[in-house]
Amino acid sequence: MRLYLPIEQLARIRRWLVAHRDDHPLEYYLWDAMLTVWLLGWMGWLPALALDLDWLLPLCALATIIPPAYVGWRRAAHEHGRLRCDWLPPVD
């Protein structure tokens, strides 16, 4: 599993989900939640360090790898036939 997703790949997933929002509303909102957590993880580093909130640093690190972990989980589930993921082929 990679620890990052290129911004182009994030944008392609987002474009696919926006285009198919009516067909896949749960995926659309779940991806928005993933991106929100990811952004909070990146934005949380500076306040955590400035305010000496050491307990927040592992949460920020975990939040920054949420989107690639989600894509990896979806890819594995798709390859094993447990879950159909229509946005994977255009993303690869």
Side-chain angles (χ1 to χ4, degrees):
M1 177 185 80
R2 291 186 307 194
L3 295 179
Y4 70 95
L5 285 177
I7 199 75
E8 297 85 20
Q9 192 172 11
L10 290 171
R12 280 186 295 211
I13 294 171
R14 176 75 177 152
R15 278 193 301 269
W16 190 94
L17 289 170
V18 167
H20 298 89
R21 181 185 339 191
D22 294 335
D23 301 330
H24 305 277
L26 181 61
E27 274 187 275
Y28 174 78
Y29 291 116
L30 188 57
W31 186 252
D32 270 355
M34 292 289 158
L35 290 181
T36 301
V37 170
W38 177 70
L39 188 61
L40 286 171
W42 280 109
M43 298 297 290
W45 286 104
L46 187 59
L49 291 171
L51 299 173
D52 203 28
L53 300 173
D54 294 336
W55 61 271
L56 195 55
L57 295 174
L59 294 176
C60 290
L62 182 64
T64 59
I65 63 167
I66 289 280
Y70 178 71
V71 169
W73 171 75
R74 291 295 299 251
R75 179 174 281 117
H78 180 76
E79 289 171 357
H80 289 99
R82 289 180 280 164
L83 183 65
R84 192 177 104 198
C85 188
D86 294 330
W87 49 262
L88 276 176
V91 168
D92 292 332

